[in-house]
Structures are given as structure tokens and as C-alpha cells.
Amino acid sequence: MDSLVESGWQYLVSNFSDFQLACIGSFIVHETVFFLSGLPCILLERTGFLSSYKIQTKNNTPKAQGKCIAWLLFYHSCVNFPLMMFSYRVFKFMGMRSSFPLPSWKVVSAQILFFFIIEDFVFYWGHRILHTKWLYKNVHSVHHEYATPFGLTSEYAHPAEILFLGFATFIGPALTGPHLITLWLWLVLRVIETVEAHCGYHFPWSPSNFLPLYGGADFHDYHHRLLYTKSGNYSSTFVYMDWIFGTDKGYRKLKALKET
């Protein structure tokens, strides 16, 4: 496995510049993982397949789904990609590299764990601030246009929110200056997590059934269903911040009632 990864990486660094890999490569990785993991949610809604696992009975119309996709393509091209290009020098300054040797799996695992911890902390407070009256009305309400979320709505947001909460995703890598392969792995995991949290389905194989403190679709779907002033559930991946500050009490109470 290691030799396969090294051979693949050797091809990349031999044929593309550091800038091309960090900017264009990262953008391709993001878009590929995002749309491949998010588009099946639209198919599930339209066909009704696995509807018994759907959290809400309401479905989004094809028009609403099409609007989401169109805006995502625009946002990603005009906001995400320029942001990646702008951030390149920052990451290089902090020590990011794409050259050999590749980091060990222990280093990669430790850095990814750190990224999750700091992202959860920063995202929680950023998200909670976005639910204050003015910011919700003028910025965050765009994301909440979809009270019944599906995978691709995870990144449907006001450009200001993309920049604001995107900071939470990249503050960890910016502080540590990881190898580019670590950054790509983090990007893949973060995209899959946020798409899963917005997928609108709670399956027997959902990560929240196996990972302690993992939020997932059921946890975040509750956040989309309620009024902005009373929603709670502001956490990103793991829900310890909501538990510490008591902003998941409504969700926990509802969940307990369903179980009884």
C-alpha cells in the first residue's frame, strides 16, 4: 500500500508544480469528493429509494435541487477556487510541502485528529455567532433556505459564510503546515463528514451509530428543522461543544421521548 501511494505521488510531483498541486489539485480533490458523495442524495430523494431511513418526510423539488447545484458551481468557481489560490502562500509560509519523503501514518493521524479538534471548536463558535439575529438574517439564512437538507446543501451558503466557516476548516492545517497529502486526506474526510451530516438520512450504517460523540445527519437535521433562535446543535463533526454549553438540550429531550 505504501509503495502504491509513493508511486502515485511520485507521478504527481514529477509532472505538476507545487502550486498546481496545492491549488488546482486541491480544488479537483474537493469537487470530485463533494459531488460524488452528494449527488446520490438527490437520486435517493427523486426515486424514493431507502425512504424508510429518511429523517423528514418532505422532499425537495427538482427545481430546488437544480438551484442548489447551479449556485454551488458558481460559488466554488468564484469563491472557493480563488480562496485556495490566495491561501497558497500562507500554507507555504507555515511549512506545507509536497516533496518526498511522505509523512508517516502516525504523523498524518495525529495531525488529522488535531484538525478535527480545532475545527470543532472554531466552527461551533462561528456557527453560533451566525445564529445571532443580524448575521442570520443577512448571511446564514441562505444556508437555511433548505429546511430539508440533502448532501449538496452542506456547502450551499452565502459567500461571507463560506469564508467565515471555511476558516475553521483550514486553521488547523495553517497552524501546522502539513504535507499536501495530509491536507488532501483532511479535505476528503471533512467533505464526506459535512455531506453525511446534511444527507437527510439516518441509516443503520451511519457513523453516529458507531462513533462516540459523532453528530451526523440526525443531529444536524434537527438544527435545520427549527427556528434559528431555538435550534441549537451548532457543532460540526463531534458534538462535545454542544454538550458542554447545553445547546443540544432540545435535541436530547426529543430523542429521549422518541426512545420511550
Side-chain angles (χ1 to χ4, degrees):
M1 180 63 179
D2 287 346
S3 60
L4 183 63
V5 173
E6 289 180 354
S7 297
W9 199 258
Q10 181 64 58
Y11 173 82
L12 290 176
V13 297
S14 299
N15 291 276
F16 301 97
S17 69
D18 198 52
F19 178 81
Q20 289 173 324
L21 289 174
C23 298
I24 300 175
S26 296
F27 184 73
I28 292 173
V29 168
H30 174 273
E31 297 302 289
T32 302
V33 175
F34 178 71
F35 283 104
L36 285 181
S37 60
L39 285 172
C41 298
I42 290 180
L43 185 63
L44 289 178
E45 271 203 333
R46 292 193 180 185
T47 61
F49 186 58
L50 298 177
S51 59
S52 59
Y53 299 113
K54 199 170 188 305
I55 298 169
Q56 298 187 47
T57 56
K58 179 183 176 183
N59 286 323
N60 293 282
T61 65
K63 182 179 179 181
Q65 293 170 340
K67 175 189 174 184
C68 177
I69 293 173
W71 276 105
L72 283 170
L73 292 173
F74 174 75
Y75 286 157
H76 287 184
S77 300
C78 299
V79 179
N80 289 17
F81 185 56
L83 182 62
M84 287 181 179
M85 296 182 69
F86 175 78
S87 304
Y88 172 72
R89 292 192 179 277
V90 176
F91 282 102
K92 287 294 290 183
F93 177 77
M94 297 303 293
M96 186 189 73
R97 62 182 179 86
S98 59
S99 58
F100 282 94
L102 296 179
S104 68
W105 286 109
K106 288 183 179 180
V107 171
V108 172
S109 300
Q111 289 183 328
I112 294 292
L113 177 61
F114 173 71
F115 297 164
F116 270 115
I117 292 172
I118 194 168
E119 195 275 340
D120 275 325
F121 178 83
V122 176
F123 184 96
Y124 174 85
W125 288 112
H127 191 190
R128 192 167 175 178
I129 289 170
L130 284 172
H131 276 264
T132 55
K133 189 173 182 179
W134 189 91
L135 283 174
Y136 183 89
K137 179 181 178 181
N138 294 282
V139 178
H140 194 48
S141 60
V142 173
H143 180 65
H144 278 269
E145 285 179 18
Y146 292 88
T148 305
F150 56 96
L152 296 181
T153 61
S154 57
E155 294 192 7
Y156 179 85
H158 190 286
E161 179 175 343
I162 295 173
L163 296 173
F164 188 52
L165 292 184
F167 176 77
T169 299
F170 290 105
I171 181 63
L175 290 174
T176 58
H179 193 281
L180 183 59
I181 200 170
T182 307
L183 182 63
W184 282 5
L185 178 59
W186 163 239
L187 202 59
V188 168
L189 292 174
R190 183 69 183 93
V191 168
I192 291 174
E193 180 278 321
T194 192
V195 168
E196 192 276 330
H198 289 82
C199 73
Y201 292 81
H202 184 71
F203 301 109
W205 56 86
S206 293
S208 56
N209 294 326
F210 308 101
L211 297 177
L213 297 178
Y214 183 90
D218 188 61
F219 184 86
H220 194 68
D221 203 276
Y222 175 88
H223 174 82
H224 274 263
R225 294 198 305 269
L226 298 192
L227 293 173
Y228 78 92
T229 53
K230 302 177 181 179
S231 58
N233 289 24
Y234 302 116
S235 294
S236 175
T237 305
F238 297 99
V239 301
Y240 62 91
M241 292 293 290
D242 277 296
W243 180 78
I244 291 172
F245 293 99
T247 45
D248 63 347
K249 289 181 179 178
Y251 170 73
R252 298 297 174 195
K253 185 181 293 185
L254 179 63
K255 193 172 181 180
L257 286 173
K258 286 181 177 180
E259 290 175 353
T260 56

